[in-house]
Amino acid sequence: MDIVLPFITGLLFATGLYLILHRHFFKLILGIILFGLATNLFIFTIGRLTRGGSPIIPQGSEVAIEPYADPVPQALLLTAIVIGFGIQAFAIVLVKRVYQAFGTNNLDDLNNTDKTIIPPKE
Amino acid sequence: MLQLHHLLLLLPLLLPLYGAIFCLFSWNRVNLQMAIACVIQLAMVVASGALLYAVNHEGILVTQLGNWPAPFGITLVADLFSALMVVTASITGAAVVLFSLRGLDLPRQDYGYYPLILMLQMGVAGVCLTGDLFNLFVWFEVLLICCFVMITLGGTKPQLEGAIKYVTINILASGLLLTGIGVVYGITGSLNMAELAMLVRMPSINKSLFLMASTFFIVSLGIKAALFPLFFWLPASYHTPPIAISSFIGGLLTKVGIYAMIRLFTLIFVVEQELILAFFTITAGFTMVIGVLGAAAHYDFRKILSFHIVSQIGYMLMGLAIFTTLSIAGTILFIVHNVFVKTNLFLVSGVVGRLKGSFDLKKLGSQYLQRPFLALLFLISALALAGLPPLSGFWPKFILVKAGLEAEQYTIVGVSLCVSIITLFSMTKIWNEVFWKKQPETDETEPDADRLTKALLYAPIIFLALCILYIGLNAEAAIGLAYRAAEQVLNTDLYINAVLNR
């Protein structure tokens, strides 16, 4: 299992970035979500995977018995999932509004705010 | 440490939080929301001023939330730099809220503007005060989500278009920041910034892996601070929302990114420092030049100002890249000065846009004839931005150049001086087009504004102009404060000892 998760993480990062680079709105959303999942999985994996050892200190002892799972990355993960969920929800609604307002499904059409206004020649 | 000091650290977070909650409770009564926001912002100015005073007299203040001892719980830390940032943010916030009473259209005010700006203020204070790496990420998210909503507030076409770029790139940046935090935790097993600072200075640290972790932070904070190859989202989005919103976002947010960079790259990411600093020097030069050239090409009041944000970020990074006490002091002073000046320029453009109905330089004109006082206020901010003595922009630039010459980094000094001249050129362009030249023939009638509206629009601009003049004319005190702040930033033992209570 330990060797599978890094590969899945890498695959998710790659897929997420690849989809974000597309012009299609729906692929953008999918990309953002997959990218978020990849970061979460990355943090989960980097906290070192330990099975079946809960970090609960038994009665009468000062420290938990090794090996135990590190609870910190899991707490981080939980926070990150919640934040990511909120932001993804916002992004989905934003994309829907953009689609309604512009009637286009192509990100390349959205370059009006970048354009330089060249002043007319006197 | 006195009980009061613990409270002082929490007030910049609690005041806007409670303000936002009260605003949400009075959703249907905009007048009440206005009153709450004004009171809270004034209280923030007082509270952050008290925090700065306390830090200045007592040294670094620390509080452990929930009374968990340092490396385990979340720590709030205020040194002079972070206290200065909180003061700057709250003064700017007060000015912007005052401006938006009349400078923002009513439907937007009705739809949650005040709770949002208060939450944004809380996010900024949180980033500046936190002493925990993951907590830093969380505060950045608080700040970003408010920013997302504020940029799209009203939902006009340009806003939506700007927002989609802003949101996408910032989600990516947050993901990379989180990944970087994960790597740091994987290497060191700690998230407390003071403990991390101690751990990375041990010889046993895996240097190449840690350098890789710092690249994650360079990229993600670089996106948030709009550094050279990563700035393109800023001019595409910052000018789209109404001025009351873009002045606050444009004035403050990129500087928060730079604050985080300075904090982390002086405290934690000091492994292989020559390499990182050389990279910063090159990036700083390009950021300055590209930003100012972008500004020279544009003919929209707000777009010119947006590109100048990018250009000024280069100066701040230059101070970090030179990495002496003097240069960091220059950067700190530059941040404070730039937040005021940039917000004020945006507000001036807002007054012109509100009274004339346009931001296009070609359609505006004769403002000097019609509003000489506004012209004077613009001139103060514009010349301060370009860095003319005795205004506030001159001193930080002078310090940066001096530090650069002392460190024998002549190229970056030369670039920064050239960029200053182009900045002056671009400010004179606005001056010529908006204030000096004759009003071109337009068939639009000028919308009328009553006296109260005008007073409320002008008051924050006068207030910020006074701040700029104060920094400029009382330079010795300002430089002294910035210098002591820089000493604290670079003397990391002070920070570590204060947090870990040794």
Side-chain angles (χ1 to χ4, degrees), chain B residues 132-133 136 140 177 181 193 196 217 221 258-270 320:
Chain B
D132 183 280
L133 207 52
L136 184 84
F140 260 121
L177 185 62
I181 292 170
M193 272 149 61
L196 278 173
F217 284 82
L221 295 175
I258 274 285
Y259 165 84
M261 267 190 132
I262 293 175
R263 173 67 70 217
L264 295 182
F265 282 88
T266 52
L267 193 63
I268 300 174
F269 298 108
V270 289
L320 179 61

Side-chain angles (χ1 to χ4, degrees), chain B residues 363-387:
Chain B
K363 288 185 187 150
L364 295 165
S366 345
Q367 289 301 303
Y368 181 60
L369 216 57
Q370 292 169 12
R371 299 185 183 83
F373 187 53
L374 185 68
L376 176 71
L377 292 172
F378 171 78
L379 206 60
I380 291 175
S381 312
L383 294 182
L385 186 76

Side-chain angles (χ1 to χ4, degrees), chain A residues 13 17 20 25 28 32 35 39-40 42-43 46 48 70 72-73 76 79-80 83 87 90 94-95 97-98 101-102 110-117 119 122, chain B residues 134 137-138 141 145 148-149 152 155 157-158 160-161 163-165 167-168 171-172 175-176 178-179 182-183 185-186 191 235-236 239-240 297-299 303 362:
Chain A
F13 266 124
L17 278 176
I20 287 174
F25 279 156
L28 176 73
I32 286 173
F35 191 79
T39 28
N40 292 344
F42 179 80
I43 292 192
I46 209 159
R48 285 170 194 80
D70 188 353
V72 177
L76 303 188
T79 321
I83 293 173
I87 286 187
F90 179 83
L94 176 70
V95 163
R97 287 279 291 125
V98 172
F102 287 83
L110 302 180
N111 60 355
N112 302 313
T113 56
D114 288 320
K115 279 184 186 145
T116 317
I117 307 165
E122 317 258 319
Chain B
F134 188 75
F137 163 77
V138 175
E141 294 301 293
I145 194 88
F148 291 169
V149 183
T152 48
K157 266 188 166 187
L160 289 173
E161 197 187 312
I164 203 155
K165 297 161 195 170
V167 169
T168 312
I171 289 178
L172 269 179
L176 291 175
L178 193 57
T179 316
V183 178
Y185 184 79
L191 287 168
H239 65 93
T240 55
H298 276 272
Y299 272 83
K303 278 192 187 175
K362 287 290 156 196

